[in-house]
Amino acid sequence: MPLDKQFDVDEALDRALETFWAQGYESTSMDDLLKQMGINRGSFYDTFNSKHDVLIDSLKRYDREYRRADLRASAVGRGPREAILSLFKAMAEGNRGPHGKHGCFLVNSALEMAPKDDQVAKIVRSGFRDTEKFFAGLLEQGQSSGEISGELDPEETARVLTCQLLGLMVLVRSGSNRSVIRSAAGLAEDLLA
């Protein structure tokens, strides 16, 4: 009969996510990871198999519980144009909770791991495509209500907004000057003017 886990698997994954998000995959040693997860090596391998498997699980968890939640939160109680701009403003102002200074875990992983890891690249591309679809949906709603110019191509504009948001996230993560970050965020407003 297998032994019951002596730790909360979801809590351990949350801690792994936070560690990879803050430090990156390659900068996180197994000892760091085990310490942060609060488990021993045997329990780790019995439950998670490998450091890489934990990274993949962490990225999927981040995508589900942070990225998608941030998108949904930006749209609550707002019109389409305001929803788009509030997402950029929140990113620029660092209003993303205690992890705001870490930027976006998907973007960080895209820069660090995607070029050499197909599993990471697939998760990253899926998240970026979903963000693009989110913007396209808001643009179409805004055009239907007259809030956003009908002259904009929703798909192309969504692609540009996604690129702008990703660039903004890189600026945040790299600790760029606040005025540079605010200026970059303002480009979304210019695009929707």
Side-chain angles (χ1 to χ4, degrees):
M1 178 159 109
L3 294 174
D4 288 336
K5 299 268 183 255
Q6 299 299 311
F7 64 94
D8 183 308
V9 173
D10 287 332
E11 186 177 314
L13 269 175
D14 283 340
R15 290 179 181 171
L17 187 160
E18 290 174 12
T19 304
F20 289 139
W21 192 357
Q23 297 176 196
Y25 178 75
E26 292 181 348
S27 295
T28 300
S29 70
M30 271 305 294
D31 288 339
D32 289 341
L33 190 58
L34 294 172
K35 181 179 177 186
Q36 293 302 318
M37 292 175 79
I39 60 177
N40 65 41
R41 200 171 291 272
S43 294
F44 176 89
Y45 287 111
D46 285 345
T47 305
F48 301 108
N49 298 323
S50 72
K51 178 182 167 186
H52 184 265
D53 285 349
V54 172
L55 172 67
I56 297 303
D57 289 345
S58 296
L59 278 170
K60 289 176 180 176
R61 189 177 196 88
Y62 172 86
D63 189 55
R64 194 175 52 247
E65 296 181 17
Y66 288 90
R67 185 194 59 81
R68 291 179 193 177
D70 283 351
L71 294 180
R72 284 191 305 272
S74 72
V76 172
R78 296 180 176 98
R81 185 175 188 280
E82 185 185 357
I84 293 168
L85 297 180
S86 73
L87 186 61
F88 280 85
K89 182 178 180 183
M91 180 60 65
E93 299 301 324
N95 297 335
R96 297 185 63 238
H99 302 294
K101 67 181 182 284
H102 300 320
C104 170
F105 187 31
L106 283 185
V107 171
N108 299 349
S109 297
L111 297 171
E112 179 189 14
M113 297 297 296
K116 55 191 168 199
D117 188 313
D118 290 339
Q119 283 183 282
V120 170
K122 183 178 177 183
I123 295 166
V124 166
R125 284 192 305 267
S126 175
F128 293 170
R129 276 192 307 271
D130 186 66
T131 300
E132 196 174 306
K133 287 178 187 174
F134 171 79
F135 283 138
L138 288 175
L139 290 162
E140 289 168 0
Q141 290 173 24
Q143 287 176 327
S144 292
S145 68
E147 191 178 328
I148 294 174
S149 169
E151 294 181 19
L152 295 175
D153 178 305
E155 289 183 18
E156 185 62 33
T157 305
R159 197 168 298 121
V160 171
L161 286 169
T162 300
C163 290
Q164 286 180 330
L165 186 64
L166 297 176
L168 181 59
M169 291 175 185
V170 171
L171 291 173
V172 168
R173 175 67 170 159
S174 66
S176 292
N177 180 292
R178 301 300 310 161
S179 64
V180 170
I181 290 171
R182 285 189 194 104
S183 176
L187 293 174
E189 189 165 6
D190 294 344
L191 182 63
L192 300 179

